[in-house]
């Protein structure tokens, strides 16, 4: 356990940050699952709609360093590739 006042504050801040980030990470996963589910049904229009809803959320979370920017880009790229394969 932290002994100094400064260390106790840092522990509090770290805990608050952990709770917030886990909530945000969960939200991103939900958006991703919606896109994957739409791709699974084979409905291109629905998949594009869900993808367009997911994109700004993933970007915003990546800007906050909850996800790395590279991971966000990789997720978007892979999902977009799967959606394009539906259209073909």
């Amino acid at each position: 356990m932290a002994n100094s006042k400064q260390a106790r504050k840092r522990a509090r801040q770290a805990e608050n940050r952990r709770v917030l980030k886990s909530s945000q990470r969960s939200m991103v996963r939900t958006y991703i699952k919606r896109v994957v589910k739409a791709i699974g049904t084979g409905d291109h229009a629905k998949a594009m709609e869900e993808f367009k809803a997911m994109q700004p959320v993933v970007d915003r979370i990546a800007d906050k360093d909850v996800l790395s920017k590279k991971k966000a880009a990789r997720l978007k790229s892979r999902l977009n590739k799967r959606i394009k394969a539906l259209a073909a």
Side-chain angles (χ1 to χ4, degrees), residues 44 81-88:
H44 181 263
K81 185 176 168 185
R82 289 175 65 185
I83 291 170
K84 284 183 178 178
L86 276 180

Side-chain angles (χ1 to χ4, degrees), residues 5-71:
K5 186 175 179 182
Q6 175 188 8
R8 284 193 295 271
K9 180 178 178 181
R10 291 302 299 164
R12 274 196 318 272
Q13 287 176 326
E15 177 62 18
N16 291 337
R17 201 169 288 120
R18 183 190 66 80
V19 170
L20 180 64
K21 284 187 175 189
S22 68
S23 159
Q24 291 172 334
R25 208 174 295 116
S26 173
M27 179 183 63
V28 167
R29 286 189 192 123
T30 302
Y31 275 94
I32 292 168
K33 284 176 191 172
R34 287 182 192 165
V35 176
V36 171
K37 187 176 178 185
I39 292 170
T41 62
D43 185 1
H44 181 263
K46 177 75 172 160
M48 274 308 292
E49 181 184 315
E50 293 293 348
F51 182 74
K52 285 181 180 176
M54 179 211 71
Q55 257 183 320
V57 173
V58 169
D59 288 336
R60 193 166 52 246
I61 297 304
D63 284 341
K64 294 179 181 180
D65 279 339
V66 176
L67 286 178
S68 75
K69 289 185 188 288
K70 287 185 178 184
K71 181 169 183 171

Side-chain angles (χ1 to χ4, degrees), residues 68-79:
S68 75
K69 289 185 188 288
K70 287 185 178 184
K71 181 169 183 171
R74 192 169 55 243
L75 277 168
K76 291 187 300 183
S77 174
R78 287 177 180 173
L79 288 173

